[in-house]
Amino acid sequence: MSKNISFIDGLEGILKYREIDINQLVELPYDAVSYLLIMGELPGDQELADYSARLRGEREINREAIDVIRMCNFNIDSMEALRTIVSFISQFDPDINDNSPEGNMRKAIRLIAKIPTIVAAYHRIANGKEPVPPDPSLSHGANFLYMIRGSKPSDLEAEVMEKDFILSAEHELNASTFSSRVTASTLSDLYSAVVSGLCTLKGPLHGGARAEVMAMIDEISSPEDAEKYVLEKLAKKEKIMGFGHRVYKTYDPRGVVFKQLSRQLAEAKGNMYWYEIAEATERTVIRELVEKKGKPIYPNVDFYSGVIYKYLDIPPKLATSIFAIGRVSGWIAHCFDQYEKKKIIRPRAFMLDEC
Ligand SMILES: CC(C)(COP(=O)(O)OP(=O)(O)OC[C@H]1O[C@@H](n2cnc3c(N)ncnc32)[C@H](O)[C@@H]1OP(=O)(O)O)[C@@H](O)C(=O)NCCC(=O)NCCS
């Protein structure tokens, strides 16, 4: 069953969730894709309406969580706060000790619904503002941007945010999903499994690369500067963030969609600046590494998504947390699969040599 949650063809650049290509899935609401991942099939109209209503009804976080956010250190990445608050709110979940499928489903809904509210509240408080309560009339993506800004996003911005969550939602047995599964395999609770995923996602070789891409785009400063920047990095044998992948040996299919979306946003905002820096960076990396050296180093999921966050006015500090908002549905789908197996994951040490 776990192999069907998603499928990757790293040579052809194909990604499917539950046997459906991501290019089709990005046309759906995030809630439908979340349902697909967790339940194994796409919802009908009524099932989607019920699932969305349950998610929208669980978006609020309690006063205690807001108080803890106020005590966080805002000088560091938001992932530290997100990890802490997800762990903190688990104590208030009435189903924390109920590991039945029904209890786990209720926890899953709360986790998916509340994580965007935690991230947005953190952002507001870090910037000296009061948190904005969730608006149940808005989609997952639109509501997140609304809670961050205090005003409703444009239709295009909301659509891009939804697609970002969808493209980030699942990716087979990546490092953070593996962590979540290992925790679930001990029959520990779903919050603990999600916290494991968060701890692993934050590393710069995994979800943390998105924030590094944003910092890189700021550092490059102009499209003309991109070539020089890349050449200098490569001469120092440093990696260019947002490029390369353990599984894809061609263009990451999520990167293809993110590139189109970032161009669309750039055009809509009448500001091609960051897009052009990114394109010039991509051109140089492909020329230097793919064409000259034959290495399959193309933009991955984090490259053009980082560009999108610049256009959405999202600071780098939030980038990995936003990745987590999308990815939590994938972690949960894997945890449910692992709970069914009731088998502990216990690799032998010699297997590390193959990693
Ligand atoms: C994702 C990543 C960890 C995959 O690692 P991997 O499969 O173990 O590949 P390696 O690190 O062994 O790289 C293989 C070769 O390509 C080069 N390479 C890989 N990614 C590169 C990058 N982003 N920039 C420059 N060179 C890169 C390596 O230097 C290595 O060269 P060598 O064979 O001459 O030593 C790696 O590509 C990377 O660190 N990318 C940047 C971080 C990033 O964007 N992470 C998000 C992943 S979704």
Side-chain angles (χ1 to χ4, degrees):
M1 168 86 160
S2 61
K3 66 180 187 314
N4 296 331
I5 297 174
S6 58
F7 165 84
I8 305 172
D9 184 331
L11 295 178
E12 295 296 324
I14 295 170
L15 172 61
K16 297 178 180 182
Y17 301 164
R18 303 282 189 190
E19 300 183 357
I20 306 177
D21 195 282
I22 51 151
N23 288 294
Q24 277 169 265
L25 293 176
V26 286
E27 301 307 325
L28 301 175
Y30 175 77
D31 294 355
V33 177
S34 167
Y35 184 102
L36 169 76
L37 288 168
I38 291 172
M39 310 300 276
E41 53 191 36
L42 280 174
D45 291 346
Q46 192 54 51
E47 287 160 330
L48 178 58
D50 293 346
Y51 187 70
S52 285
R54 285 182 76 185
L55 285 172
R56 289 168 194 225
E58 290 285 1
R59 282 176 178 166
E60 300 246 359
I61 54 174
N62 61 14
R63 169 61 41 202
E64 290 84 349
I66 301 279
D67 288 345
V68 178
I69 294 175
R70 289 190 202 283
M71 289 188 269
C72 286
N73 178 356
F74 302 112
N75 297 318
I76 53 176
D77 195 274
S78 63
M79 281 296 273
E80 320 290 341
L82 179 58
R83 182 192 58 196
T84 303
I85 306 302
V86 172
S87 187
F88 178 78
I89 62 170
S90 72
Q91 305 164 81
F92 301 92
D93 192 308
D95 294 303
I96 190 66
N97 291 320
D98 180 355
N99 261 13
S100 67
E102 298 74 24
N104 279 334
M105 190 62 204
R106 289 191 291 273
K107 281 180 281 194
I109 296 274
R110 292 183 194 119
L111 277 158
I112 297 165
K114 291 185 196 308
I115 284 179
T117 313
I118 296 169
V119 178
Y122 167 90
H123 175 71
R124 300 279 304 176
I125 293 169
N127 287 286
K129 296 177 183 158
E130 279 306 299
V132 173
D135 180 341
S137 73
L138 298 176
S139 71
H140 211 59
N143 176 59
F144 175 65
L145 288 173
Y146 167 70
M147 290 190 296
I148 288 235
R149 299 174 177 178
S151 61
K152 290 186 183 161
S154 71
D155 288 348
L156 177 62
E157 289 174 322
E159 186 192 324
V160 168
M161 203 69 254
E162 284 273 289
K163 291 187 197 305
D164 176 272
F165 292 154
I166 290 168
L167 293 169
S168 305
E170 160 60 13
H171 211 232
E172 206 211 41
L173 218 54
N174 59 87
S176 57
T177 302
F178 185 65
S179 292
S180 288
R181 277 194 87 117
V182 171
T183 304
S185 85
T186 68
L187 300 187
S188 184
D189 70 283
L190 196 59
Y191 282 85
S192 298
V194 166
V195 171
S196 290
L198 289 169
C199 293
T200 310
L201 185 71
K202 80 191 268 282
L205 295 189
H206 191 11
R210 209 167 280 197
E212 308 247 350
V213 167
M214 297 177 77
M216 177 174 84
I217 288 181
D218 283 342
E219 214 183 313
I220 289 177
S221 78
S222 78
E224 295 70 39
D225 205 30
E227 179 173 12
K228 184 166 157 272
Y229 176 91
V230 171
L231 294 178
E232 280 174 6
K233 280 259 173 199
L234 294 181
K236 287 189 265 176
K237 304 234 172 296
E238 286 176 12
K239 286 188 170 160
I240 314 297
M241 285 294 139
F243 287 83
H245 198 274
R246 179 55 69 81
V247 180
Y248 293 114
K249 298 305 163 202
T250 183
Y251 215 114
D252 184 327
R254 302 163 298 175
V256 176
V257 183
F258 276 131
K259 185 173 181 181
Q260 286 161 0
L261 291 175
S262 60
R263 191 183 175 100
Q264 238 178 303
L265 261 186
E267 284 170 354
K269 289 183 181 275
N271 168 14
M272 300 304 287
Y273 180 69
W274 292 310
Y275 180 81
E276 282 169 4
I277 289 179
E279 252 205 335
T281 305
E282 178 189 343
R283 260 196 317 276
T284 314
V285 172
I286 290 184
R287 188 189 69 212
E288 293 301 313
L289 295 181
V290 183
E291 291 166 9
K292 291 191 187 164
K293 299 218 166 119
K295 293 183 192 177
I297 309 295
Y298 297 90
N300 60 41
V301 66
D302 293 310
F303 189 62
Y304 281 100
S305 55
V307 179
I308 283 172
Y309 293 176
K310 299 226 36 107
Y311 283 110
L312 291 177
D313 205 17
I314 286 170
K317 253 190 222 173
L318 291 195
T320 320
S321 297
I322 297 177
F323 196 159
I325 293 176
R327 182 55 60 90
V328 67
S329 294
W331 288 335
I332 289 170
H334 280 267
C335 290
F336 281 10
D337 187 57
Q338 196 59 46
Y339 284 141
E340 267 180 35
K341 286 191 165 62
K342 294 192 172 46
K343 205 158 185 224
I344 196 160
I345 297 175
R346 203 301 192 184
R348 296 298 307 278
F350 68 83
M351 293 165 130
L352 286 173
D353 293 339
E354 290 165 25
C355 290

